Amino acid sequence: MTTMEYWYQEMFLDADGQKTISEYLDILIKQFEDSKMEIPIDLDKFMIETLLSLKNDLKAIEFSNSPIELKAEYKDPTS
């Protein structure tokens, strides 16, 4: 079991193998808008750095050039 900082956990849980990084940025922007929060000017850079750390440092996610189906144990990691 790994304890993650808030954004690492959020991005890990959002990783479903079905969205592109560009689509995910749009999702994050919408989350900020829906919460009436100011969108950080460097949100794109922060998102990419966090995703790269999840991939390279924690080995918690993988990148793919096409949509993938997650293994059952990763579909709902909080259960």
Side-chain angles (χ1 to χ4, degrees):
M1 181 180 204
T2 300
T3 301
M4 296 181 189
E5 293 179 22
Y6 176 79
W7 281 109
Y8 283 78
Q9 179 177 317
E10 286 296 305
M11 291 186 194
F12 172 77
L13 293 174
D14 286 343
D16 63 3
Q18 301 300 305
K19 31 183 153 348
T20 65
I21 289 176
S22 178
E23 290 169 337
Y24 188 57
L25 180 58
D26 291 339
I27 290 167
L28 286 179
I29 290 170
K30 184 171 179 354
Q31 288 174 341
F32 274 88
E33 291 172 340
D34 291 348
S35 298
K36 309 281 191 261
M37 296 172 59
E38 184 176 336
I39 300 168
I41 196 153
D42 64 344
L43 181 61
D44 55 344
K45 180 180 175 190
F46 172 75
M47 178 197 73
I48 290 169
E49 288 172 352
T50 303
L51 290 172
L52 285 172
S53 182
L54 281 167
K55 178 186 181 294
N56 298 326
D57 301 332
L58 297 177
K59 312 264 189 272
I61 64 171
E62 296 177 6
F63 296 139
S64 174
N65 288 327
S66 58
I68 61 167
E69 186 67 30
L70 296 180
K71 294 178 185 175
E73 62 263 30
Y74 297 116
K75 285 188 179 185
D76 190 8
T78 58
S79 64

